[in-house]
């Protein structure tokens, strides 16, 4: 006879197993169209008079968002904006006059002036072509603008238009009369000799030409681009100079991505990028001197260190490295408010140097004011990548600039006097600065920082010459602030770890309380108790403390298994206290935790948010510290959270897919299973802008590529691998996994499978594809990690 107590114990444990394998969530639910979660505000802007906040919203669940607004006086009343009213609003782009009561802007290629006091717009110009980049000149009686490849000025008093530049595409070619053949010349001579009227007309035409040549003035100056691409035409505030860039494209081979599902029924090649190491476009910065009617090039060849070789050349002692002036990209200029001074940002094409230099507009000479050198690569908040000048501007004294630099190890705000060269660091500490802006009166900086916590963002004000930062936001999480034009109010787009974005409004003071404007979560979304993941740190093998998000199951549900999630992009932060851009993965982690898994989401080396050394920790070895951080995360889970070392899986997309492959190929003793999504398998086949920063170029630094590419380590696969990839991915090409599949076949590996998605690019769009992919991931983990 079976003991009743035994039956009770058996029933108890049966219930626990059932509980551990059930959840209110399903893959189908969390991977459906995101509209099921509710509607959340985006693209937040202010009206020009600071009385209304405008934002995109969709409370009626229409096919797309529409423009809504809320007034400062009544922030609880949200109203939809009619298209007629929307058309009357000036866009955010444009230029204010000094009094900030007039704004010039373009819409649909037409030039408008908006009177903020009267709330009226006036159409100034409608030309045959699209007008762009309007700005007030210093006297504020004239506006400059760009039309086609030339700069113009519009006189507000007379309504007259003056063309400033005469820039033409192509090359200057002297017209030559076509040489006649012997037959044609004989006929012409015969006609000239026989017919007197023909001789008279010829002689008269020659006489008129001689008179025009004698009385004509000098021909107007023309500049020809020589087939180069013209970019960034900019008129100086004084109206005396026009600057621009000339881009010379290369004939580097583009890759094609076949689309097998094209509507035509034929296979169509989608245009895509080149591969890393392909020839790059070159850039020349030019000055058009309107007073002397000449064009000359900005001279970058004498910048300090312009011929410096990178440190990695020491790994190739047998190679001859020529001393030569490096190619550069030039940005700006940024003109002082009086228009008399200008600075430029110059970046070396290998992205290991950034110079901020004063530009002599009369000669094109540069004087270096600040050089930031990084043997890895220049980047960071406010500093940008190789095609960005970063955050830079002038104080109102017309002799001091502000900019950001990682000189201290973290991206901070600096001042620099262009006359004396004296530099001052305004912000200090192990945190980063984002999006500094100067107040209307020029006395205050407004800026966002991570000072409170690496996983929080708050908005501050600070005296322009430095001093105590006053925190203006208080909500824990991310506060994306859009300051009203009069600077009296802040529109705050706010979110927390388990709460999607909502709109708040607050007076621009530390003591004022924020008022919530939107509340967009759907009842279905609110019905589940979304987890607030715990932010933890664990020690890496080199002693660094690695930040992570931890999802812990209940003791009753815990199945002893763990899943490591690897975020994409490399340089991205996902360990924070706001609503993640990886919201599908966040919800999937809630599902996994319901089912008894412990989930760890790591901001590994290379991630954003932790300063220069963390950012560049992957230099010349992707799959090095970024992978060992995942392994150390597993050790932490085993030691501190009771995870079974035989039950660990890993997954991620893009860069996360790459790390998953490296984990499965080189850390087989740590990871039983992995799902690699849209993965880079060979960095020599990825794009130039991203890859060359981290690994240099394959022809110059093959060591870095060999040790960083999963395809070279495929023989190490022992566990269970799922590969998933969109077939029309124009970022990480489907070719990547095709080559890897062939490698796995040749190695006779049979514990892997591939799921392909014929209509998907790098970022999936179809809920059916998301659902299929994550059902496969869940199946992989359930079948291989749970007994």
């Amino acid at each position: 006879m079976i003991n009743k107590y035994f039956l009770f114990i058996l029933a108890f444990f049966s219930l626990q197993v059932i509980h551990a394998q059930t959840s209110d969530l399903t893959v189908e639910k969390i991977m459906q169209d995101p509209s099921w979660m509710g509607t959340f505000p985006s693209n937040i802007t202010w009206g020009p008079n600071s009385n209304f906040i405008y934002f995109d919203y969709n409370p009626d669940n229409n096919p797309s968002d529409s423009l809504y607004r809320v007034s400062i006086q009544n922030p609880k009343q949200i109203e939809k904006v009619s298209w007629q009213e929307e058309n009357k609003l000036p866009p955010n782009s444009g230029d204010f006059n000094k009094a900030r009561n007039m704004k010039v802007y373009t819409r649909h290629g037409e030039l408008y002036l908006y009177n903020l006091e009267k709330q009226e717009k006036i159409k100034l110009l409608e030309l045959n072509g699209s007008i762009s980049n309007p700005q007030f000149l210093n006297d504020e009686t004239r506006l400059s603008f760009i039309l086609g490849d030339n700069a113009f000025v519009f006189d507000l008093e007379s309504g007259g238009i003056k063309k400033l530049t005469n820039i033409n595409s192509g090359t200057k070619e002297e017209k030559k009369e076509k040489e006649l053949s012997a037959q044609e010349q004989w006929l012409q001579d015969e006609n000239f000799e026989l017919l007197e009227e023909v001789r008279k007309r010829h002689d008269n035409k020659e006489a008129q030409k001689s008179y025009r040549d004698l009385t004509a003035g000098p021909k107007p100056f023309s500049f020809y681009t020589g087939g180069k691409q013209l970019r960034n035409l900019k008129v100086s505030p004084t109206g005396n100079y026009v600057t621009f860039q000339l881009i010379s494209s290369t004939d580097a081979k583009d890759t094609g991505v076949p689309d097998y599902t094209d509507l035509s029924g034929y296979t169509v090649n989608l245009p895509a990028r080149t591969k890393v190491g392909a020839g790059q476009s070159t850039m020349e910065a030019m000055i058009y001197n309107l007073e002397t009617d000449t064009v000359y090039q900005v001279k970058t060849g004498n910048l300090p260190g312009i011929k410096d070789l990178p440190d990695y050349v020491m790994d190739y002692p047998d190679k001859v490295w020529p001393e030569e002036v490096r190619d550069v990209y030039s940005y700006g200029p940024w003109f002082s408010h009086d228009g008399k001074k200008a600075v430029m940002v110059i970046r070396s094409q290998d992205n290991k140097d950034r110079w901020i230099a004063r530009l002599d507009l009369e000669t094109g000479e540069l004087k270096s004011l600040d050089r930031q050198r990084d043997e890895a690569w220049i980047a960071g908040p406010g500093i940008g990548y190789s095609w960005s000048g970063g955050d830079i501007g002038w104080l109102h004294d017309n002799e001091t600039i502000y900019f950001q630099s990682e000189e201290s190890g973290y991206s901070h705000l600096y001042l620099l006097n262009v006359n004396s060269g004296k530099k001052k660091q305004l912000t200090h500490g192990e945190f980063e600065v984002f999006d500094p802006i100067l107040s209307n009166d020029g006395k205050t900086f407004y800026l966002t920082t991570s000072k409170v916590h690496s996983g929080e963002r708050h908005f501050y004000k600070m005296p322009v010459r430095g001093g105590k930062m006053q925190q203006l936001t208080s909500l824990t999480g991310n506060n994306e602030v859009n300051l009203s034009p009069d600077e009296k109010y802040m529109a705050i787009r706010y979110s927390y770890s388990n709460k999607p974005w909502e709109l708040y409004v607050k007076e621009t003071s530390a003591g004022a309380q924020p008022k919530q404007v939107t509340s967009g979560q759907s009842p279905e979304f609110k019905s589940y108790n979304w987890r607030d993941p715990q932010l933890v740190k664990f020690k890496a093998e080199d002693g660094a403390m690695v930040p992570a998000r931890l999802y812990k199951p209940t003791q009753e549900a815990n199945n002893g298994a763990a899943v490591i999630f690897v975020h994409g992009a490399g340089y991205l932060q996902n360990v924070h206290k706001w609503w993640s851009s990886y919201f599908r993965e966040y919800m999937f982690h809630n599902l996994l935790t319901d089912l008894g898994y412990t989930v760890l989401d790591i901001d590994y080396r290379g991630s954003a948010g932790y300063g220069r050394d963390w950012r560049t920790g992957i230099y010349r070895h992707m799959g090095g510290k970024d992978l060992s951080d995942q392994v150390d995360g597993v050790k932490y889970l085993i030691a501190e959270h009771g995870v079974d070392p035989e039950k660990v899986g890993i997954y991620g997309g893009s860069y996360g897919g790459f790390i998953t492959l490296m984990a499965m190929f080189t850390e087989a003793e740590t990871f039983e299973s992995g799902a690699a999504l849209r993965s880079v398998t060979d960095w020599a086949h990825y794009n130039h802008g991203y890859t060359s920063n981290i690994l240099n170029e394959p022809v110059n630094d093959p060591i870095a590529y060999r040790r960083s590419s999963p395809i070279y380590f495929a023989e190490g696969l022992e566990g269970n691998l799922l590969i998933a990839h969109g077939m029309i991915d124009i970022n990480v090409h489907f070719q990547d996994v095709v080559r890897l599949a062939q490698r796995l076949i040749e190695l006779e590996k049979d514990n892997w499978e591939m799921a392909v998605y014929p209509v998907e690019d790098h970022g999936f769009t179809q809920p059916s594809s998301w659902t299929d992919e994550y059902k496969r991931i869940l199946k992989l983990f359930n079948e291989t990690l749970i007994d």
Side-chain angles (χ1 to χ4, degrees), residues 106-112 125-127 129-132 146-147:
T106 60
R107 171 167 282 157
H108 308 307
E110 301 164 351
L111 184 64
Y112 289 87
L125 278 178
E126 181 180 359
L127 300 174
S130 183
I131 298 171
S132 64
I146 307 302
L147 179 67

Side-chain angles (χ1 to χ4, degrees), residues 1 11 31 188 362 371 446 452 479 527:
M1 185 174 178
M31 297 297 162
Q188 180 175 293
E362 290 187 2
R371 178 191 179 193
Y446 293 100
V452 170
N479 297 266
S527 67

Side-chain angles (χ1 to χ4, degrees), residues 550-553 558-559 561-564 596-600 637 641 643:
L550 176 66
Y551 299 77
K552 280 275 291 183
N558 196 327
N559 59 25
V563 170
I564 304 294
Y597 292 90
T598 300
V599 180
L600 195 64
L637 292 181
H641 299 282
V643 165

Side-chain angles (χ1 to χ4, degrees), residues 483-687:
L483 203 60
S484 63
D486 62 10
E487 301 177 358
K488 294 180 179 179
Y489 291 93
M490 303 182 297
I492 306 171
R493 185 172 175 257
Y494 166 78
S495 73
Y496 186 64
S497 301
N498 57 359
K499 297 175 183 176
W501 299 95
E502 301 289 3
L503 175 62
Y504 289 72
V505 63
K506 181 182 184 293
E507 293 180 14
T508 309
S509 67
Q513 293 300 310
K515 299 176 183 178
Q516 187 169 349
V517 175
T518 63
S519 184
Q521 294 182 32
S522 68
E524 186 180 10
F525 183 80
K526 288 192 290 186
S527 67
Y528 180 82
N529 186 23
W530 299 101
R531 288 173 174 81
D532 181 3
Q534 182 183 355
L535 301 193
V536 299
K537 287 189 176 182
F538 58 86
K539 183 176 285 190
E541 63 182 7
D542 63 355
M545 298 304 295
V546 182
R549 270 185 166 192
L550 176 66
Y551 299 77
K552 280 275 291 183
T554 63
Q555 187 175 352
E556 296 79 14
N558 196 327
N559 59 25
V563 170
I564 304 294
F565 171 65
V566 191
H567 69 68
Y571 189 66
L572 177 144
Q573 185 178 6
N574 204 42
V575 178
H576 50 60
K577 300 179 184 179
W578 63 85
W579 186 248
S580 176
S581 57
Y582 286 93
F583 62 90
R584 291 183 180 89
E585 289 79 359
Y586 165 77
M587 292 188 287
F588 184 60
H589 298 161
N590 275 263
L591 169 58
L592 287 173
T593 311
D594 283 349
L595 298 177
Y597 292 90
T598 300
V599 180
L600 195 64
D601 172 3
I602 302 170
D603 271 349
Y604 49 88
R605 243 62 71 91
S607 296
Y610 309 99
R612 182 266 171 196
D613 289 349
W614 205 265
R615 174 180 67 78
T616 61
I618 57 174
Y619 178 58
R620 297 190 70 211
H621 192 182
M622 299 156 91
K625 289 183 178 180
D626 45 1
L627 175 58
S628 64
D629 285 346
Q630 317 298 328
V631 175
D632 291 331
V634 174
K635 293 176 182 176
Y636 160 76
L637 292 181
I638 293 169
E640 301 293 332
H641 299 282
V643 165
D644 186 335
E646 304 297 323
K647 296 181 176 182
V648 180
I650 185 170
Y651 89 102
S654 195
Y655 198 97
F658 149 71
I659 287 291
T660 298
L661 291 175
M662 290 295 275
M664 296 301 295
F665 295 164
T666 67
E667 295 289 344
E669 69 282 1
T670 303
F671 299 100
E672 177 66 22
S673 301
L677 323 174
R678 49 194 180 277
S679 317
V680 175
T681 69
D682 187 343
W683 285 108
H685 289 258
Y686 196 51
N687 70 28

Side-chain angles (χ1 to χ4, degrees), residues 758-775:
V759 300
E760 296 293 358
D761 196 347
H762 194 62
F764 284 13
T765 59
Q766 299 305 310
S768 57
S769 300
W770 281 108
T771 300
D772 182 89
E773 183 177 55
Y774 274 78
K775 282 171 68 176

Side-chain angles (χ1 to χ4, degrees), residues 165-227:
T165 60
N166 189 18
I167 301 175
N168 303 277
S169 60
T171 58
K172 183 178 181 180
E173 294 181 358
E174 295 295 332
K175 291 183 178 180
K176 296 180 180 179
E177 290 192 20
K178 181 182 176 182
E179 285 191 22
L180 301 179
S181 67
Q183 171 68 11
E184 290 169 336
Q185 187 66 55
W186 186 90
L187 289 173
Q188 180 175 293
D189 293 344
E190 186 74 4
N191 217 27
F192 187 85
E193 183 179 340
L194 288 173
L195 303 176
E196 182 179 355
E197 188 61 32
V198 169
R199 290 195 299 273
K200 287 181 180 179
R201 289 179 185 177
H202 176 269
D203 293 342
N204 187 44
K205 183 177 179 180
E206 288 296 310
Q208 288 178 355
K209 182 177 182 301
S210 298
Y211 177 77
R212 286 197 303 269
D213 291 343
L214 287 171
T215 58
K219 293 182 179 180
F221 171 74
S222 294
F223 177 77
Y224 293 84
T225 64

